[in-house]
Amino acid sequence: MPQLMQEIKKFYEEAFQIFNGKSQTPEIELRFYPYIGINHTIRIREQKAFIRLAEISRNLPLEAQKALAFILVAKLFRKKVPTQAKETYRHFIKTEEFRQKVDENKRAKGRKIITTSKGDIYDLDEIFRSLNQIYFDGKIPLPVLTWSARKTFRILGHHDSTHETIVVSRSLDARQVPKYVVEFVVFHEMLHIFHPTIHHGGRRYNHTPAFRRNEKQFAYFEEAESWIEQNVKNLKRNAKKINGE
Ligand SMILES: [Zn+2]
């Protein structure tokens, strides 16, 4: 792990000791993540803390990194954020130099990323946010959400963990497709983030029994399953027409 990461990690360990004193300090998994703008996420899963800091914050000095660690960990435990930390962090992100970097970053990203989360009918960002609140207590970090370029039908959804991307088949972005079906496909892919692939004995386990149990918690599980079963043939027909396959 590079020097900078090691040092930042120490701030998080320190913050955990302060805000979560009684319990053990969790193992910390820290990464910079290409969020556009200055967003950071922190969550706890199975005694492990997953922290993703906006790529842009790599440019912040250690003093600001420490303040940010205290802010994120305090918020995680719903504790009062120390005024000092708040002020320090704000001071650094308000500097002209940093603001310029953020703007440059947004411009560069804006050129590269074609975000297609808003379909003709359904908005994947909106669906993700509401599912996250209802089923995950808002703890799933926002991945890249996108409709597929083509109207695929064999695969209705796909989660790419390397690029933190959820792709949903554009064939579902249609008025005749009930919203709960799109939600169910997104929900399934979110469960892949919630239950990372287990590697065991050279095999990969994606749909573990725990995964399947959680999947059934979706409020329209049966309706969605049966709709998909009954309509996949139609989706396939439409896809062929449109893609000219
Ligand atoms: Zn799956």
Side-chain angles (χ1 to χ4, degrees), residues 157 188-189 192 206-207 211-212 215:
H188 178 101
E189 303 312 325
H192 280 303
N206 281 313
H207 302 122
F211 181 109
R212 290 302 186 194
E215 197 180 27

Side-chain angles (χ1 to χ4, degrees), residues 29-30 50 56 58 74 92 103 118 157 162 164 203 235:
E29 204 243 39
L30 179 68
F50 295 85
I56 191 82
R58 211 185 266 277
F92 284 105
D103 288 345
K118 278 161 199 61
T162 317
E164 280 306 348
R203 292 191 55 182
L235 292 175

Side-chain angles (χ1 to χ4, degrees), residues 1-37:
M1 197 187 265
Q3 181 81 30
L4 174 67
M5 299 301 268
Q6 288 287 15
E7 283 182 70
I8 297 176
K9 208 174 146 183
K10 273 190 210 128
F11 297 144
Y12 283 87
E13 283 162 358
E14 202 181 312
F16 270 102
Q17 268 157 26
I18 289 168
F19 294 105
N20 191 30
K22 285 151 278 167
S23 324
Q24 241 184 334
T25 302
E27 190 188 325
I28 288 163
E29 204 243 39
L30 179 68
R31 264 202 272 161
F32 284 106
Y33 187 76
Y35 292 120
I36 299 179

Side-chain angles (χ1 to χ4, degrees), residues 119-167:
D120 294 335
I121 311 293
Y122 296 116
D123 178 348
L124 295 176
D125 278 318
E126 187 258 316
I127 287 174
F128 175 92
R129 268 176 234 280
S130 91
L131 291 170
N132 204 10
Q133 286 312 319
I134 297 169
Y135 297 98
F136 301 96
D137 199 19
K139 294 212 171 74
I140 307 267
L142 181 68
V144 175
L145 292 155
T146 182
W147 291 100
S148 63
R150 288 152 64 101
K151 295 206 173 194
T152 57
F153 51 86
R154 255 180 294 260
I155 297 163
L156 297 179
H158 171 68
H159 169 239
D160 174 347
S161 61
T162 317
H163 302 100
E164 280 306 348
T165 301
I166 288 177
V167 184

